[in-house]
């Protein structure tokens, strides 16, 4: 009986692997489909574009529990921009914003109050905006 024990233990595993569970090749599309769709959705939505208000590119930003939202913003080079940021969480990390590449100093973000930060993006490329602790980040894609 002892010499058949390994076969008795292996048989149910082999049957389970062959019967109900799909093979790794069969399961790959099912596993990657939600990720791919989510990635395509995020990629297709792309960076947020601003509203134009009196010749100024205006973007509303939330400094919240998930960091800055939106995190990716597309701006036109040479056109003045205004970020209107509202902090919605009471934590120190979200209490300031700065845009170092445009010499925008750390600007306090009082809880629940909209604060305007104005600058003019200069040349094409990517620029970061960050919290006062340099932990939460967003990206500005500047296009010509």
């Amino acid at each position: 009986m002892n010499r058949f024990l390994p076969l008795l233990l292996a048989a149910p595993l082999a049957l389970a692997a062959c019967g109900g569970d799909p093979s790794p090749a069969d399961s790959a599309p099912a596993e990657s489909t939600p990720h791919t769709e989510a990635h395509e959705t995020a990629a297709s939505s792309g960076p947020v574009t601003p509203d134009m208000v009196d010749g100024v590119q205006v973007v509303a930003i939330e400094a919240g529990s998930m960091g800055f939202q939106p995190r990716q913003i597309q701006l036109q080079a040479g056109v003045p921009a205004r970020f209107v940021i509202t902090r919605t969480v009471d934590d120190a990390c979200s209490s300031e914003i700065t845009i170092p590449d445009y010499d925008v100093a750390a600007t306090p973000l009082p809880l629940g109050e909209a604060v305007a930060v104005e600058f003019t993006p200069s040349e094409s490329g990517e620029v970061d905006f960050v919290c006062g602790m340099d932990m939460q980040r967003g990206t500005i894609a500047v296009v010509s």
Side-chain angles (χ1 to χ4, degrees):
M1 178 79 173
N2 286 341
R3 63 184 176 153
F4 294 109
L5 186 58
L7 289 174
L8 290 173
L9 292 174
L13 294 174
L15 289 173
C18 293
D21 293 336
S23 70
D26 292 340
S27 65
E31 290 174 8
S32 65
T33 300
H35 174 71
T36 302
E37 287 174 1
H39 180 68
E40 287 175 1
T41 301
S44 65
S45 64
V48 169
T49 56
D51 293 325
M52 288 298 289
V53 179
D54 296 327
V56 176
Q57 304 175 91
V58 179
V59 180
I61 300 173
E62 176 186 354
S65 61
M66 301 298 290
F68 294 114
Q69 295 298 324
R71 289 178 198 244
Q72 296 182 330
I73 299 165
Q74 181 175 310
L75 296 177
Q76 195 70 30
V79 179
R82 179 182 305 127
F83 285 178
V84 180
I85 307 121
T86 304
R87 180 166 61 114
T88 59
V89 293
D90 190 19
D91 67 21
C93 193
S94 299
S95 64
E96 292 181 334
I97 188 172
T98 183
I99 309 171
D101 288 349
Y102 290 132
D103 295 324
V104 174
T107 303
L109 301 173
L111 183 62
E113 293 181 31
V115 174
V117 173
E118 297 184 351
F119 61 98
T120 301
S122 52
E123 56 190 49
S124 297
E126 288 195 351
V127 174
D128 288 335
F129 56 98
V130 298
C131 72
M133 299 173 92
D134 199 22
M135 293 175 65
Q136 297 178 2
R137 304 179 153 275
T139 304
I140 304 166
V142 182
V143 297
S144 297

